Amino acid sequence: MNYQDVFKLEFAYLETFSKRTHTNWGSLFCNESQPSYYEANHAHISRISDTPQLIIDEVVRYYETKKIIPRFYIYDLDNQQNLIASLKLNNFGFEELISPVQLWDKKILEIENNKDVAIELVTKKNYHEALNIECSIKEFGGKEVREKAFEQEFNHPNFQHYLLRNNGTACATACIFSYDNQARMESVATLEEFRGRGLIGELIHYLQVEVSKERLENLWVFPINEKIEKVYQKYGFNTVAKWKMGHAYLGGKSIKEIQG
């Protein structure tokens, strides 16, 4: 596993909907038009510093001048205890997150042709059908977040969105983000009343075929919890790492609360 490929893919993905500012300790990501879109507004701390309070002051000042809640993602937790202690002294909430990293084994399974299912590329014609599905998923942030984010992704050349219909009814979506010959699967969603029918498997299989056609080197997915991790394992995604990182926030909900 090449961790560098994963980090490059992650930051390239974030930069499609957030402005990145490089610093001597990591990166600041900001999207002033969507202050409540948490993933678009985080300081990512990837280096160790002997002056953690200076970093905290810089980040707080940066986001508060933009009227955005200051938030941190912190890597290499074992060596960042001084920063974590300082954040707690500054009244930040803190949580540890375990993020599974899954990689497709490149095996395309044979599945029976389901005549009730049709999968199509999202275009201007079916745009609002796909958008309505994603806006209904609370883990995505709801309409307030997803409406603008979906528009940005739809107009970005590195995204391809797909819509699944069951007996003609639009009921599931997913997308592929590609960068530097790597791909990641995102925004996998099914309307609640259509869950438990195996439709996600149909959609994942379709995306795997598309990735193979495009001759992309790897297909990654980053499930938000163990339950979803186990679902993806059924479709050829192997867990190759479990990243531990910290999340600090000066207000609003924690990531665990958002994800439910």
Side-chain angles (χ1 to χ4, degrees):
M1 175 182 170
N2 189 335
Y3 284 96
Q4 198 61 34
D5 284 342
V6 180
F7 272 112
K8 284 171 60 179
L9 187 63
E10 172 71 10
F11 285 146
Y13 171 70
L14 292 174
E15 285 179 295
T16 64
F17 54 81
S18 184
K19 180 182 177 182
R20 181 183 183 184
T21 301
H22 295 272
T23 71
N24 59 6
W25 42 257
S27 298
L28 287 159
F29 283 91
C30 181
N31 184 336
E32 290 186 75
S33 67
Q34 288 188 274
S36 60
Y37 188 3
Y38 293 158
E39 290 304 302
N41 296 290
H42 264 85
H44 288 249
I45 312 296
S46 56
R47 297 183 189 135
I48 312 300
S49 173
D50 294 328
T51 55
Q53 188 61 50
L54 293 180
I55 295 175
I56 295 169
D57 291 342
E58 180 182 352
V59 171
V60 169
R61 185 167 56 250
Y62 176 83
Y63 286 114
E64 287 191 341
T65 58
K66 301 175 186 302
K67 298 181 180 180
I68 295 172
I69 294 173
R71 289 176 172 265
F72 290 78
Y73 277 134
I74 306 162
Y75 305 96
D76 192 13
L77 283 190
D78 291 341
N79 293 311
Q80 292 281 18
Q81 294 306 307
N82 288 339
L83 174 60
I84 293 168
S86 295
L87 284 163
K88 292 178 179 178
L89 288 173
N90 282 264
N91 298 315
F92 276 80
F94 181 80
E95 60 186 343
E96 286 191 10
L97 303 173
I98 304 297
S99 299
V101 179
Q102 292 184 295
L103 179 63
W104 178 42
D105 62 13
K106 301 184 182 180
K107 296 176 183 177
I108 299 176
L109 302 177
E110 291 187 14
I111 63 172
E112 292 185 18
N113 183 31
N114 188 339
K115 295 180 181 179
D116 295 334
V117 169
I119 300 172
E120 60 200 50
L121 190 68
V122 174
T123 64
K124 290 182 179 179
K125 186 177 180 180
N126 57 13
Y127 177 94
H128 288 286
E129 290 179 288
L131 175 62
N132 288 339
I133 293 169
E134 297 200 10
C135 286
S136 73
I137 309 300
K138 68 176 191 291
E139 292 87 353
F140 291 178
K143 184 176 180 180
E144 180 185 7
V145 167
R146 200 66 200 129
E147 192 167 36
K148 290 182 180 179
F150 189 83
E151 181 182 7
Q152 287 178 302
E153 293 173 7
F154 179 77
N155 291 312
H156 196 284
N158 291 50
F159 283 90
Q160 294 288 343
H161 284 265
Y162 297 89
L163 175 71
L164 181 147
R165 298 183 187 276
N166 187 55
N167 287 320
T169 302
C171 58
T173 61
C175 80
I176 291 294
F177 170 75
S178 57
Y179 175 80
D180 198 22
N181 212 38
Q182 303 288 318
R184 65 186 276 169
M185 186 168 65
E186 284 289 332
S187 302
V188 181
T190 306
L191 292 176
E192 190 170 355
E193 60 267 32
F194 287 90
R195 294 173 187 172
R197 304 185 190 184
L199 298 178
I200 282 299
E202 299 269 357
L203 192 50
I204 290 173
H205 178 268
Y206 187 92
L207 266 58
Q208 289 170 337
V209 172
E210 292 299 301
V211 166
S212 294
K213 286 179 182 177
E214 295 294 325
R215 299 186 181 277
L216 295 168
E217 185 177 351
N218 289 307
L219 175 60
W220 305 87
V221 67
F222 303 87
I224 63 172
N225 56 44
E226 288 186 356
K227 181 180 178 180
I228 296 176
E229 178 187 4
K230 290 176 181 177
V231 170
Y232 291 151
Q233 285 173 344
K234 297 178 183 178
Y235 304 110
F237 286 93
N238 297 317
T239 300
V240 294
K242 290 200 175 185
W243 285 350
K244 183 171 74 170
M245 62 181 181
H247 175 243
Y249 51 103
L250 198 54
K253 294 182 178 180
S254 70
I255 297 300
K256 290 178 181 178
E257 288 175 316
I258 295 166
Q259 294 175 347

